Amino acid sequence: MTLTRPTLLFVHGAWHQPAVWDRLRAELDVLGYQSRAVDLPTSGPDARGGMPDDADAVRKEIAAIGGPVVVVAHSYGGIPVSEAATGLPDVEHLVYLTAYQLDRGESMFSFHGVPDPAETDGLIPISGDPREAFYGDLSAAEAEAAISQLVDQRLRACVGRVTEPAWRSIPSTYIICANDQAIPVPLQEKMADRATDVRRIESSHSPFLSRPAEVAALLDDIITSRG
């Protein structure tokens, strides 16, 4: 492990924005970590582009840090991270927090066995109840606050295919969220088989909101226990 403590770079999932990481980043501040959060262009009030544009945004943030980086991706965010970090020597470790750790030629849709739609130039709605899917272990008031911050998501992001996944050349940890209703545990376990290391947390899909101190401690352990 390097003597310089890495900066953590956080990459949000679909329908979310960088502020979703604020609670976790505050806990990491206490532990002495510097962190940044990427703003993915395919999510937002002015959602645009596709997965390659999100990967470009991740690359630019990594370059701006200019030193050792541990990238932490959530949900959809794992896809542009896998695409972006390949060949970047400053990236020391990848953390997939109930995230899509996809292989060559896979997209979110293909991983789920969903065919690409004929038209991808639009938005993708949230199916089902977002509280159940994303925020099952938040209080009703906290879940409503989180839901109020959800934004538009470009459909094109879901069909973008990974070319050369970074986890094939960079060590990675997969964090399985045992009560996740958005990405079922068997699918998480399938992707976790691709990681160098696997951890578990007893949470729903968004532990950075429901258990920020626990996630911060887990990330600290992942970083400090690397060989």
Side-chain angles (χ1 to χ4, degrees), residues 171-199:
S172 62
T173 297
Y174 199 99
I175 301 176
I176 294 173
C177 292
N179 302 317
D180 194 341
Q181 301 302 307
I183 304 179
V185 169
L187 291 183
Q188 293 183 63
E189 290 174 338
K190 179 179 178 180
M191 292 183 284
D193 285 343
R194 300 166 172 177
T196 311
D197 182 41
V198 181
R199 306 294 185 96

Side-chain angles (χ1 to χ4, degrees), residues 113-186:
V114 177
D116 290 354
E119 177 56 59
T120 61
D121 192 20
L123 302 175
I124 183 169
I126 300 171
S127 60
D129 178 2
R131 182 182 180 188
E132 180 181 353
F134 300 151
Y135 313 121
D137 45 7
L138 291 178
S139 70
E142 289 173 325
E144 284 302 314
I147 291 168
S148 73
Q149 299 300 308
L150 294 175
V151 293
D152 289 336
Q153 176 63 48
R154 292 282 288 179
L155 174 59
R156 192 176 299 166
C158 302
V159 301
R161 295 178 183 267
V162 176
T163 56
E164 183 58 32
W167 55 265
R168 285 189 169 273
S169 55
I170 300 171
S172 62
T173 297
Y174 199 99
I175 301 176
I176 294 173
C177 292
N179 302 317
D180 194 341
Q181 301 302 307
I183 304 179
V185 169

Side-chain angles (χ1 to χ4, degrees), residues 15-162:
W15 300 289
H16 287 76
Q17 298 183 95
V20 76
W21 297 108
D22 286 354
R23 292 184 188 179
L24 176 55
R25 293 179 66 194
E27 295 290 343
L28 288 162
D29 285 346
V30 175
L31 296 179
Y33 285 95
Q34 294 186 336
S35 66
R36 300 175 71 142
V38 178
D39 188 1
L40 299 180
T42 65
S43 300
D46 183 28
R48 63 194 184 280
M51 189 275 286
D53 301 285
D54 290 338
D56 284 345
V58 174
R59 283 191 206 96
K60 288 176 182 176
E61 288 291 340
I62 292 170
I65 290 169
V69 182
V70 170
V71 184
V72 182
H74 178 243
S75 198
Y76 160 77
I79 303 174
V81 164
S82 291
E83 182 73 5
T86 300
L88 300 184
D90 284 338
V91 180
E92 296 186 336
H93 203 86
L94 305 171
V95 179
Y96 292 85
L97 175 59
T98 186
Y100 286 94
Q101 188 165 352
L102 301 187
D103 209 344
R104 298 182 183 102
E106 290 182 336
S107 69
M108 181 191 291
F109 276 9
S110 75
F111 181 78
H112 287 281
V114 177
D116 290 354
E119 177 56 59
T120 61
D121 192 20
L123 302 175
I124 183 169
I126 300 171
S127 60
D129 178 2
R131 182 182 180 188
E132 180 181 353
F134 300 151
Y135 313 121
D137 45 7
L138 291 178
S139 70
E142 289 173 325
E144 284 302 314
I147 291 168
S148 73
Q149 299 300 308
L150 294 175
V151 293
D152 289 336
Q153 176 63 48
R154 292 282 288 179
L155 174 59
R156 192 176 299 166
C158 302
V159 301
R161 295 178 183 267
V162 176

